Amino acid sequence: MNTDPHIARLSKMLSYYLRHHPEEIGLTPDAQGWVAVQALLEALQQKGTVLDLPLLNKIVAENNKQRFALSDDLLRIRASQGHSFPVQLEYAPQVPPPVLYHGTATRFWESIQQQGLTAQQRHHVHLSATIETAQAVGARHGKPLVLQVDAEAMHEAGFEFFCTPNQVWLTATVPPNFLKPLE
Ligand code: HQG
């Protein structure tokens, strides 16, 4: 957990620009979502946010959900998932664990039962390997409901799964027949 409110605030700001509105500070991410670290720091400085390289590295390293990744040469940065603009994250498909979990709110259940899980504003449906994470994600939306996803059956049926560096499992959609509420 980030306890430093200053870091938490900067981290939220980075999420906003790197996942949703890079154009608001004049940044144009490449097709994989990367922007030059230097360009990011300069763009933030232009709008009066003081963020230097050591502090950025600290945020990347300590972010409680490891939301950001640096390129191997450390010159570029991107969000690991959660974008709302088109981006090809290019994670290699992986064999998922047999069961994955999705946290939602009870009020969405009727619709999910009919349509399955769909990506909504994001690129993928987000799943987790642990019930605890799903519970916390669900609680952001209301009274939490944890759904159990038969990832093994989906994988056998040809659905692709991707795992981000911060252990979020991504898939395009989960049809209703692979879902059930956790007992
Ligand atoms: C729901 C956080 C009705 C879905 C977390 C969810 C996560 C449907 C909501 C990450 C539906 C979308 C993602 C359907 C899906 N009918 N509702 N057919 N299909 N939904 O925020 O999974 O803090 O886009 O159940 O840790 O809650 O951003 O997705 O309730 O990993 O780093 O529509 O966000 O990470 O909500 O959260 P979201 P999410 P960050």
Side-chain angles (χ1 to χ4, degrees), residues 5-162:
H6 180 55
I7 295 227
R9 197 178 60 80
L10 287 172
S11 174
K12 279 214 168 102
M13 186 186 290
L14 286 178
S15 276
Y16 179 80
Y17 293 126
L18 294 177
R19 287 171 164 185
H20 305 300
H21 290 293
E23 77 287 352
E24 282 186 17
I25 49 170
L27 294 174
T28 309
D30 71 10
Q32 288 77 42
W34 297 102
V35 302
V37 169
Q38 202 51 40
L40 172 67
L41 296 180
E42 281 167 18
L44 289 173
Q45 194 164 16
Q46 290 256 317
K47 66 174 280 299
T49 300
V50 182
L51 178 57
D52 60 12
L53 194 56
L55 186 53
L56 181 70
N57 286 334
K58 188 174 154 75
I59 292 170
V60 172
E62 293 180 8
N63 182 266
N64 58 2
K65 288 192 195 160
Q66 298 279 306
R67 290 189 178 93
F68 313 107
L70 290 169
S71 57
D72 290 339
D73 60 10
L74 306 180
L75 294 177
R76 294 172 305 148
I77 184 170
R78 73 173 178 182
S80 292
Q81 86 290 323
H83 303 76
S84 56
F85 58 84
V87 66
Q88 291 138 27
L89 296 172
E90 299 191 334
Y91 296 129
Q94 286 188 32
V95 180
V99 175
L100 286 168
Y101 301 95
H102 176 85
T104 189
T106 49
R107 69 179 191 283
F108 297 146
W109 175 232
E110 200 179 315
S111 159
I112 292 172
Q113 254 180 314
Q114 280 163 21
Q115 303 168 6
L117 290 170
T118 57
Q120 309 293 317
Q121 306 306 310
R122 304 194 190 240
H123 286 266
H124 297 94
V125 172
H126 289 216
L127 304 170
S128 65
T130 70
I131 295 171
E132 291 73 24
T133 300
Q135 200 113 38
V137 171
R140 291 154 65 246
H141 297 285
K143 186 164 181 268
L145 170 69
V146 174
L147 301 175
Q148 193 169 318
V149 175
D150 191 345
E152 186 169 36
M154 283 184 69
H155 174 67
E156 282 166 10
F159 288 85
E160 286 192 327
F161 289 83
F162 309 90

